[in-house]
Amino acid sequence: MSLATARCLALSGTQGHLIDVQVDISPGTPGTYLVGRPDKALQESRDRVRMAINNAVPSWPASRRVTILLAPADLPKSGTHFDLAIAVAVKSADQTPPKNGRDHRIPQSALDGTAFIGELTLSGNLRPVIGVLPMVLAARQRGIRRVFVPESQASEAAMVPGMTVFGMRSLAQVVAELRGEPVPEAPPVEGTTSGRLLSWRGQDLREEVDMSEVEGMQEVIYAVTVAAAGGHHLMLSGPRGAGKTTVAERIPTILPDLTLEQSLEVTAVHSLVGALDTLVTRPPFFSPHHDASRASILGGGTGRPRPGEVSLAHHGVLFLDEFPLFRADVIDALRQPLEAGEVSIARGEESATYPARAMVVLAANPCPCGNFHARAGGHVCDCLDQVRRNYQRKLSGPVVDRIDIWRELQPMAAHRGGDRFAPRWSSSELRDRVAAARARQAVRYAGLGFGVNSAVPGPALTEGWPLPLGGQRLLDEAMANGKLTRRGLTRVHRVALSVADLAGRDLPDVADVRTAMALRSSEPVAITAMELAS
């Protein structure tokens, strides 16, 4: 009897689990048995691996019983990326001396401390798979320091610091490398993963637009800067043509570059929907159409659960324009990512959790025609009162209570002329202010894992960074009068911290609390040029 173990990874969302691929070759009824809760695609790996070995590194132990265990056995496993680990474990367990030709036996010691990821073709070539980056991240966390992956995904795996990456084209190359022999030539493998094309804009958005192009709207720009400083959710409402989309599309340009840890988190999520060859270094920006399905925005779909755009926008911006036109199930499902910063998808015995700490920006017209505005003359609304009320009803309730900052934009004509043009702040100027505010938060939450103000739980806020007595009294009175819910009180507290951070103060004062309350209620905010200027 011969026994060998190779390592691979199983993914649950972005979390990876180290899997021992144990192969036992023993006398008995010839056959191949795969156990350990594999899915259908993984069950078919028995035939793929057997033919790959026969065609690339002969031969398969056909006259004996081959038992393959994927341990731990109680964890569901899916995907084709286990092929390579199964193949090398079989070649290590099969220690039968070759009768003629080249020796392809692999010593068990060559497999120690190494993970194997890749799908095999019948000829023994390696094809790319989805999720290489999160798997390599999980391998490093569990003490693995070497990884074999398809050649086309070596750059993706190499994004993880401290890992030795072997990019291979075929099973024959992997066996030769493990045996310490010269690696044979192999043709490059064509083909891509079965992911979907990403339509995000983040890496080059700063070169396309700039906040200095926005005319007037000083209060709005200040509110947007506060939201960016603390990662707060934002609602922009107003008649059509008021500039809601113009402002929203420029929010990513005032966000600082991602840290290395954030870049790996974001790139790992993107890896789950297709192969990558570069690290995501800028905050992503996604803007799905209002006809998009729940699975597209929140995640799920048929087969293995996939992350939605709210997760792909992790550490960036998710812009939902014409928010009341989104489907009711999408609006309702947004509660979890807005509150918890993550999305959990359960399907039978399989579940997946994806990060979703995106800054969600909602935009809405006051009515279906977009012309209604109580304070603006010359705008005639064609909507019936009942139609307008039904439309606005979607902007109330539990989802809206999770929005931190509200701004009502005036018609564009109100911004033209006079001093409303000056001053204007460029994206780089605002980005520096936001970066300084986030640096204060990084020091404040060092070792706690909160990152930004919007992620701090309510109990931690009141215990670690309480508001001044006068500011707390303002919030208590607002809650007693029904103007704030308990959730709203916590969110105002977080926004007050961001207002103070933006102004260079360690903790908010009473004026900062008043500003935070005004930002949440869409009331006017007194802003001077000095509050945003460098």
mmCIF file of all heavy atoms in Angstrom, residues 238-242 244 322 364-373 379-383 391:
data_model
loop_
_atom_site.group_PDB
_atom_site.id
_atom_site.type_symbol
_atom_site.label_atom_id
_atom_site.label_comp_id
_atom_site.label_asym_id
_atom_site.label_seq_id
_atom_site.Cartn_x
_atom_site.Cartn_y
_atom_site.Cartn_z
ATOM 1 N N GLY A 238 -32.649 65.387 -6.155
ATOM 2 C CA GLY A 238 -32.877 66.658 -6.825
ATOM 3 C C GLY A 238 -33.444 66.444 -8.207
ATOM 4 O O GLY A 238 -33.459 65.317 -8.728
ATOM 5 N N PRO A 239 -33.940 67.508 -8.849
ATOM 6 C CA PRO A 239 -34.538 67.375 -10.173
ATOM 7 C C PRO A 239 -33.511 66.948 -11.210
ATOM 8 O O PRO A 239 -32.305 67.042 -10.998
ATOM 9 C CB PRO A 239 -35.078 68.780 -10.456
ATOM 10 C CG PRO A 239 -34.225 69.686 -9.619
ATOM 11 C CD PRO A 239 -33.913 68.914 -8.382
ATOM 12 N N ARG A 240 -34.022 66.495 -12.323
ATOM 13 C CA ARG A 240 -33.118 66.036 -13.385
ATOM 14 C C ARG A 240 -32.240 67.205 -13.858
ATOM 15 O O ARG A 240 -32.673 68.361 -13.908
ATOM 16 C CB ARG A 240 -33.909 65.464 -14.547
ATOM 17 C CG ARG A 240 -34.800 66.462 -15.246
ATOM 18 C CD ARG A 240 -35.553 65.826 -16.386
ATOM 19 N NE ARG A 240 -36.357 66.791 -17.119
ATOM 20 C CZ ARG A 240 -37.080 66.501 -18.194
ATOM 21 N NH1 ARG A 240 -37.089 65.252 -18.644
ATOM 22 N NH2 ARG A 240 -37.780 67.430 -18.803
ATOM 23 N N GLY A 241 -31.005 66.867 -14.189
ATOM 24 C CA GLY A 241 -30.070 67.879 -14.655
ATOM 25 C C GLY A 241 -29.436 68.706 -13.560
ATOM 26 O O GLY A 241 -28.726 69.669 -13.850
ATOM 27 N N ALA A 242 -29.661 68.327 -12.289
ATOM 28 C CA ALA A 242 -29.096 69.113 -11.190
ATOM 29 C C ALA A 242 -27.624 68.807 -10.951
ATOM 30 O O ALA A 242 -26.956 69.528 -10.210
ATOM 31 C CB ALA A 242 -29.893 68.886 -9.910
ATOM 32 N N LYS A 244 -26.419 65.400 -10.166
ATOM 33 C CA LYS A 244 -26.223 64.270 -9.251
ATOM 34 C C LYS A 244 -25.192 63.288 -9.808
ATOM 35 O O LYS A 244 -24.255 62.883 -9.108
ATOM 36 C CB LYS A 244 -27.565 63.550 -9.021
ATOM 37 C CG LYS A 244 -28.646 64.440 -8.442
ATOM 38 C CD LYS A 244 -29.922 63.681 -8.167
ATOM 39 C CE LYS A 244 -30.598 63.184 -9.421
ATOM 40 N NZ LYS A 244 -31.120 64.284 -10.277
ATOM 41 N N GLU A 322 -30.865 56.648 -10.302
ATOM 42 C CA GLU A 322 -32.305 56.375 -10.415
ATOM 43 C C GLU A 322 -32.718 55.281 -9.430
ATOM 44 O O GLU A 322 -33.388 54.308 -9.775
ATOM 45 C CB GLU A 322 -32.649 55.962 -11.850
ATOM 46 C CG GLU A 322 -32.275 56.971 -12.905
ATOM 47 C CD GLU A 322 -33.144 58.228 -12.868
ATOM 48 O OE1 GLU A 322 -34.125 58.256 -12.098
ATOM 49 O OE2 GLU A 322 -32.828 59.189 -13.594
ATOM 50 N N ALA A 364 -31.487 60.076 -6.800
ATOM 51 C CA ALA A 364 -32.910 59.942 -7.086
ATOM 52 C C ALA A 364 -33.498 61.270 -7.507
ATOM 53 O O ALA A 364 -33.135 62.327 -6.983
ATOM 54 C CB ALA A 364 -33.648 59.408 -5.853
ATOM 55 N N ASN A 365 -34.423 61.201 -8.448
ATOM 56 C CA ASN A 365 -35.233 62.354 -8.799
ATOM 57 C C ASN A 365 -36.378 62.487 -7.789
ATOM 58 O O ASN A 365 -36.733 61.509 -7.113
ATOM 59 C CB ASN A 365 -35.804 62.202 -10.208
ATOM 60 C CG ASN A 365 -34.731 62.227 -11.277
ATOM 61 O OD1 ASN A 365 -33.729 62.915 -11.132
ATOM 62 N ND2 ASN A 365 -34.932 61.477 -12.348
ATOM 63 N N PRO A 366 -37.001 63.647 -7.677
ATOM 64 C CA PRO A 366 -38.115 63.794 -6.737
ATOM 65 C C PRO A 366 -39.400 63.148 -7.232
ATOM 66 O O PRO A 366 -40.346 62.974 -6.459
ATOM 67 C CB PRO A 366 -38.271 65.321 -6.621
ATOM 68 C CG PRO A 366 -37.729 65.852 -7.906
ATOM 69 C CD PRO A 366 -36.626 64.927 -8.302
ATOM 70 N N CYS A 367 -39.461 62.798 -8.520
ATOM 71 C CA CYS A 367 -40.666 62.194 -9.083
ATOM 72 C C CYS A 367 -40.265 61.483 -10.372
ATOM 73 O O CYS A 367 -39.147 61.659 -10.870
ATOM 74 C CB CYS A 367 -41.727 63.262 -9.354
ATOM 75 S SG CYS A 367 -41.208 64.469 -10.603
ATOM 76 N N PRO A 368 -41.157 60.660 -10.955
ATOM 77 C CA PRO A 368 -40.771 59.930 -12.176
ATOM 78 C C PRO A 368 -40.345 60.818 -13.331
ATOM 79 O O PRO A 368 -39.423 60.470 -14.077
ATOM 80 C CB PRO A 368 -42.047 59.144 -12.514
ATOM 81 C CG PRO A 368 -42.713 58.932 -11.196
ATOM 82 C CD PRO A 368 -42.442 60.177 -10.407
ATOM 83 N N CYS A 369 -40.987 61.995 -13.496
ATOM 84 C CA CYS A 369 -40.596 62.851 -14.617
ATOM 85 C C CYS A 369 -39.344 63.657 -14.309
ATOM 86 O O CYS A 369 -38.688 64.177 -15.209
ATOM 87 C CB CYS A 369 -41.741 63.785 -15.008
ATOM 88 S SG CYS A 369 -41.991 65.203 -13.907
ATOM 89 N N GLY A 370 -39.020 63.795 -13.026
ATOM 90 C CA GLY A 370 -37.798 64.472 -12.631
ATOM 91 C C GLY A 370 -37.881 65.975 -12.566
ATOM 92 O O GLY A 370 -36.858 66.636 -12.332
ATOM 93 N N ASN A 371 -39.074 66.561 -12.728
ATOM 94 C CA ASN A 371 -39.200 68.013 -12.776
ATOM 95 C C ASN A 371 -39.705 68.643 -11.483
ATOM 96 O O ASN A 371 -39.631 69.855 -11.327
ATOM 97 C CB ASN A 371 -40.148 68.429 -13.916
ATOM 98 C CG ASN A 371 -39.521 68.213 -15.275
ATOM 99 O OD1 ASN A 371 -38.313 68.339 -15.434
ATOM 100 N ND2 ASN A 371 -40.336 67.865 -16.259
ATOM 101 N N PHE A 372 -40.213 67.819 -10.581
ATOM 102 C CA PHE A 372 -40.821 68.395 -9.383
ATOM 103 C C PHE A 372 -39.749 69.001 -8.476
ATOM 104 O O PHE A 372 -38.740 68.371 -8.169
ATOM 105 C CB PHE A 372 -41.597 67.328 -8.613
ATOM 106 C CG PHE A 372 -42.232 67.834 -7.348
ATOM 107 C CD1 PHE A 372 -43.413 68.543 -7.399
ATOM 108 C CD2 PHE A 372 -41.636 67.616 -6.117
ATOM 109 C CE1 PHE A 372 -44.011 69.021 -6.236
ATOM 110 C CE2 PHE A 372 -42.214 68.094 -4.962
ATOM 111 C CZ PHE A 372 -43.411 68.794 -5.021
ATOM 112 N N HIS A 373 -39.974 70.238 -8.058
ATOM 113 C CA HIS A 373 -39.088 70.876 -7.082
ATOM 114 C C HIS A 373 -39.870 71.996 -6.427
ATOM 115 O O HIS A 373 -40.229 72.989 -7.066
ATOM 116 C CB HIS A 373 -37.814 71.415 -7.738
ATOM 117 C CG HIS A 373 -36.711 71.644 -6.748
ATOM 118 N ND1 HIS A 373 -36.697 72.719 -5.898
ATOM 119 C CD2 HIS A 373 -35.609 70.925 -6.459
ATOM 120 C CE1 HIS A 373 -35.621 72.664 -5.133
ATOM 121 N NE2 HIS A 373 -34.936 71.577 -5.457
ATOM 122 N N HIS A 379 -40.282 74.947 -13.018
ATOM 123 C CA HIS A 379 -40.209 73.502 -13.226
ATOM 124 C C HIS A 379 -41.610 72.940 -13.040
ATOM 125 O O HIS A 379 -42.181 73.009 -11.956
ATOM 126 C CB HIS A 379 -39.238 72.850 -12.244
ATOM 127 C CG HIS A 379 -37.808 73.122 -12.598
ATOM 128 N ND1 HIS A 379 -37.012 72.214 -13.239
ATOM 129 C CD2 HIS A 379 -37.046 74.231 -12.426
ATOM 130 C CE1 HIS A 379 -35.810 72.726 -13.434
ATOM 131 N NE2 HIS A 379 -35.810 73.956 -12.939
ATOM 132 N N VAL A 380 -42.165 72.395 -14.079
ATOM 133 C CA VAL A 380 -43.534 71.894 -14.062
ATOM 134 C C VAL A 380 -43.491 70.371 -14.000
ATOM 135 O O VAL A 380 -42.870 69.716 -14.838
ATOM 136 C CB VAL A 380 -44.305 72.343 -15.299
ATOM 137 C CG1 VAL A 380 -45.722 71.784 -15.264
ATOM 138 C CG2 VAL A 380 -44.322 73.862 -15.393
ATOM 139 N N CYS A 381 -44.124 69.805 -12.986
ATOM 140 C CA CYS A 381 -44.171 68.353 -12.826
ATOM 141 C C CYS A 381 -45.440 67.812 -13.476
ATOM 142 O O CYS A 381 -46.541 68.302 -13.229
ATOM 143 C CB CYS A 381 -44.139 67.991 -11.344
ATOM 144 S SG CYS A 381 -44.287 66.215 -11.032
ATOM 145 N N ASP A 382 -45.292 66.782 -14.299
ATOM 146 C CA ASP A 382 -46.422 66.180 -14.991
ATOM 147 C C ASP A 382 -46.980 64.969 -14.259
ATOM 148 O O ASP A 382 -47.918 64.326 -14.745
ATOM 149 C CB ASP A 382 -45.998 65.740 -16.400
ATOM 150 C CG ASP A 382 -45.541 66.908 -17.252
ATOM 151 O OD1 ASP A 382 -46.113 68.003 -17.095
ATOM 152 O OD2 ASP A 382 -44.605 66.733 -18.050
ATOM 153 N N CYS A 383 -46.398 64.643 -13.093
ATOM 154 C CA CYS A 383 -46.801 63.428 -12.378
ATOM 155 C C CYS A 383 -48.014 63.692 -11.495
ATOM 156 O O CYS A 383 -48.129 64.752 -10.867
ATOM 157 C CB CYS A 383 -45.650 62.906 -11.514
ATOM 158 S SG CYS A 383 -44.131 62.587 -12.431
ATOM 159 N N TYR A 391 -43.666 56.884 -5.815
ATOM 160 C CA TYR A 391 -42.259 56.938 -6.210
ATOM 161 C C TYR A 391 -41.377 57.290 -5.017
ATOM 162 O O TYR A 391 -40.337 56.663 -4.778
ATOM 163 C CB TYR A 391 -42.106 57.976 -7.327
ATOM 164 C CG TYR A 391 -40.716 58.112 -7.906
ATOM 165 C CD1 TYR A 391 -40.285 57.267 -8.919
ATOM 166 C CD2 TYR A 391 -39.846 59.108 -7.457
ATOM 167 C CE1 TYR A 391 -39.016 57.411 -9.476
ATOM 168 C CE2 TYR A 391 -38.584 59.247 -8.005
ATOM 169 C CZ TYR A 391 -38.176 58.395 -9.015
ATOM 170 O OH TYR A 391 -36.924 58.531 -9.554
#
